[in-house]
Amino acid sequence: MKRFLGAHSLPNTIKESRLLYLAAAFLFFYALILTLAPAVRVHSFETTLNWQHWVGVGVWAVGVVWVRRTLQVWLGEHDPYFLPVAALLSGWGLLTIWRLDTVLGWRQTFWLGLGWLILGLGARWPEVLLWLRRYKYLWLVLGLLLVALTLFFGTYPGGEGPGLWLGCCGLYFQPAEPLKILLLIYLAAYLAERIPFSLSLASLIAPTLVVIGVTIALLVIQRDLGTASLLFMLYALVLYLATGRRRVLLLTAGGLLLAAWIGNTMFILIHQRLLAWWQPWSQADGVGYQIIQSLIAIAEGGLFGTGPGLGSPGLVPVAHSDFITVAIAEETGLVGLGGLLGLVGVLFLRSMIVAIRAPNLYRRLLAAGLGIYLGGQSVLIIGGNLRLFPLTGVTLPFVSYGGSSLVVSFAALLLLLRMSASEETPPVSLANEAPFQVLGGGFLAVLALLAGLGGWWGIVRSEALRSRPDNLRWVVAERFVQRGRLLDRQEQVLVQSEGRPGSYRRVTLYPPLASTLGFIHPRFGKAGLEAGLDSYLRGLAGQPAWEILLARLLFAQPPQGLDVRLTLSLDIQRVADAAMEGEQGALILLNAQNGEILAMASQPTFDPNRLDEAWEEWKTDPHSPLLNRVTQGQYPPGTALTPFLWATQSMPTEQWGHFPQSLVLQTAGGRLPCANVPSLPITWESAAQAGCPWVTVALAQNLGKERLEALWPALGFGTLVNLPLPMGGIAVPPPEASLETLLTGESTWYLSPLQMAQAIAILQQGQRPDIHLVNAIRVPVQGWVVLSVDPPAEVEIAGRTPDRLADWARGDLPIWMAFGRGQNGQKTVLWVLAGTVPDWQGSPLVLVLALESGTAEQGEQIARAVLQAALR
């Protein structure tokens, strides 16, 4: 840059020209990238490109050329940095607004043209500074009157909102914006006249306190609290520069703290903004939403950004105005944020240089005040975006959308350019340099703090912010990047994305399995396997790191998603869903040896293809169709514990004593019947198979308390099955719980069908299999990559006799079957537990069925149909 600008003796006109060339080159390439961004998103030129923003570029370029020539003629050796910095900021903001909203882009282009017109015509008016000083009271009163008119005729251009604007027919302006400059003109002129003759601080500022008090009172009544805070800051800092009294800074800090405390108590708006600043994470769905989305945008941008037109800054509320800083940071990264802070710093420091070189006190205070206005307002809104300060709602000068703000920023630029023009009069002496040094050093320190804070959110906290569930950028990615498919074990498609880049939509081809497959939806989020396998389906896992990085750098997108092959068999699943139709409950079929889940049925269920039209109905349905009953269902085990007690008995049944005359168990809670009618003749085997509670109690007594308490953890009842699905709670029976309380449901012990299936697999095989639902991932070039599975873990269960399960064999099929009944108050659940017999030569299977209504006969029919399909 130094070589480009040349030596310090290089004429200002050449410096200015070269800086303008740099600004024009930056904006040209920025606009070109915005034009090509749609093609980059869809990886093809067969799409509509963006061209309309070039109108804004044209207006910007014509304005720069005209104003540049005007300044050369009328303002001589003016400061060479003001125009290039303001031009770059205004052009950058204009292109960002075009990128966010085309309608607002057209409007901002008009206001930019008006800004250039004011700057060019104003440069031809040599007496403007004198004229403003002479009629300072008139301009201030006029500004206050316009602000007061908004109390009666104020409106909000967007429809619903604070009435801070005047105007109609599509043209509006905000009187509070010009009031900032008018107040500065008044303060500079007043203090310049009084300081040489005033002996005390009180006598000097007393009249100005009345003025600032009236001004702030009007803004507070309007609820324009951000502008009120800014004006108070401007007043205090200008007064500090004029007097050099540090007590002014202390009083200002105290006043702001007091105002914040009073405002937090009296005004709900201030309370909400302070709450959003102090505790945004606990208010993520409320007042903290904006700031959290702002920080997420910075995290998404990272160091170099997503690229112009390739991010999703529109997800941040009011990104074109209050949060335009993070819109820029998301697409240009911390590099762009640093550049923005640097431009603000140059604007402020050059204003301070103009102030120090000013030929009189009026110009000195006015130039310093304008620098504080442009720099201070920028710091306030950028700091609000980065959570350094509470949000104030002010605009970013030259950059944010808004005609009033842009025109007033150009008016401030006009005054600074006029005051920077070479004068024959030497600078007025600066008696005390300390205020300027303190203010300049403090401002640079704040800019450095903002840059560091940007690095904190954009790098250190980036991963945590980007992975938040309220970061909806995945919604945009899902439209442009094909998501991986979910396939069954025979590679039959269960879920896939249909359409073309820019309009992909997710389609579930087998809706009855929705409780397991889940859904992905822009409004309702992600659920089921769509959520649990999201990293694979989006291509963020299983891909080479360089490919993920390259896709992000080039397209600001994840790579194409990977197909996932499940262990489920669609053929068996169809049988299970057909058998379960009309019932309420859950079924799971498991390979007891390798832990593969072959079928999962949860009824009632839903159709992911109909979420938009039926979400509210399903969400409020008392039968909970959105619940996956296999993994999340919580059922009292009751006499379904009988098979575990039966198979772990060490004594033969002949030594168990006489069989009771009544199989019904009488408890304090009432009579507990068998889960099924025992087959004749009634024996220990048939009664245990039927889930008769008296037998369950007798078996538990035979086993003994010590072995009983060791049995449950051995069966895995207290461990969590690791599946990419939401799970229900994990609980084990309390040590003091009697078996009777477990049978009657008075205990708080609940099991899911998945937990029950794992326990039977352990009982049947003597090993704990690694239960899994995902078989393989299809990776480009390599093809299917089978995921590793932990080998079965040996489980020692004292007295285990697996052959006892053969006592309940069904002669026509190589399977055993038992029934159980769980009770919790008035609600009961029928358990059907089944599996292949020990001498079966094929894959050992386990089936668990939990029916919330229905008979044992119906349960047996369902279980037999599914097992018969699996055995085929």
Side-chain angles (χ1 to χ4, degrees), residues 97-169:
I97 293 166
W98 270 104
R99 180 260 180 277
L100 291 169
D101 191 310
T102 302
V103 174
L104 297 182
W106 283 108
R107 293 179 181 177
Q108 189 76 350
T109 300
F110 168 79
W111 291 115
L112 178 62
L114 183 58
W116 288 133
L117 188 64
I118 291 174
L119 183 56
L121 294 179
R124 300 166 183 259
W125 188 6
E127 296 83 12
V128 61
L129 293 171
L130 180 61
W131 184 69
L132 290 172
R133 179 177 186 178
R134 181 177 300 166
Y135 301 106
K136 57 182 176 296
Y137 294 107
L138 176 62
W139 307 131
L140 182 61
V141 171
L142 180 60
L144 291 174
L145 286 176
L146 289 175
V147 172
L149 285 177
T150 60
L151 298 175
F152 307 98
F153 307 105
T155 185
Y156 183 73
E160 292 292 331
L164 305 179
W165 284 260
L166 294 176
C168 69
C169 311

Side-chain angles (χ1 to χ4, degrees), residues 68-76:
R68 169 80 177 88
R69 291 179 178 177
T70 303
L71 294 181
Q72 286 180 327
V73 174
W74 292 88
L75 290 186

Side-chain angles (χ1 to χ4, degrees), residues 635-640 742-743 745 820-824 827-831:
Y635 300 107
T639 56
L742 297 180
L743 298 179
R821 180 176 181 272
Q823 180 173 328
N824 181 12
K827 296 182 179 179
T828 60
V829 58
L830 173 71
W831 291 94

Side-chain angles (χ1 to χ4, degrees), residues 481-516:
V481 182
Q482 190 162 30
R483 188 174 175 84
R485 300 177 300 173
L486 288 173
L487 313 173
D488 86 327
R489 65 189 302 114
Q490 285 86 30
E491 299 185 22
Q492 298 182 79
V493 181
L494 303 173
V495 187
Q496 67 182 11
S497 294
E498 297 180 355
R500 46 186 307 183
S503 60
Y504 282 125
R505 62 187 183 91
R506 200 67 168 165
V507 178
T508 301
L509 302 182
Y510 186 68
L513 195 52
S515 299
T516 298

Side-chain angles (χ1 to χ4, degrees), residues 24 29 57 114 263 392 435 566 586 635 669 762 827:
F29 285 108
V57 174
L114 183 58
T392 56
L566 305 177
Y635 300 107
I762 294 172
K827 296 182 179 179

Side-chain angles (χ1 to χ4, degrees), residues 181 370 373-374 398 407-417:
I181 291 185
L370 292 173
Y373 154 59
L374 294 173
F398 294 108
V407 168
V408 170
S409 297
F410 271 101
L413 178 65
L414 168 64
L415 298 180
L416 287 169
L417 284 167

Side-chain angles (χ1 to χ4, degrees), residues 394-450:
V394 296
T395 56
L396 182 58
F398 294 108
V399 183
S400 292
Y401 171 77
S404 305
S405 174
L406 187 60
V407 168
V408 170
S409 297
F410 271 101
L413 178 65
L414 168 64
L415 298 180
L416 287 169
L417 284 167
R418 168 60 64 183
M419 288 184 285
S420 71
S422 60
E423 298 271 357
E424 295 183 1
T425 307
V428 65
S429 62
L430 185 60
N432 186 3
E433 297 180 357
F436 284 88
Q437 294 172 346
V438 170
L439 191 60
F443 187 81
L444 292 179
V446 172
L447 289 183
L449 182 58
L450 288 174

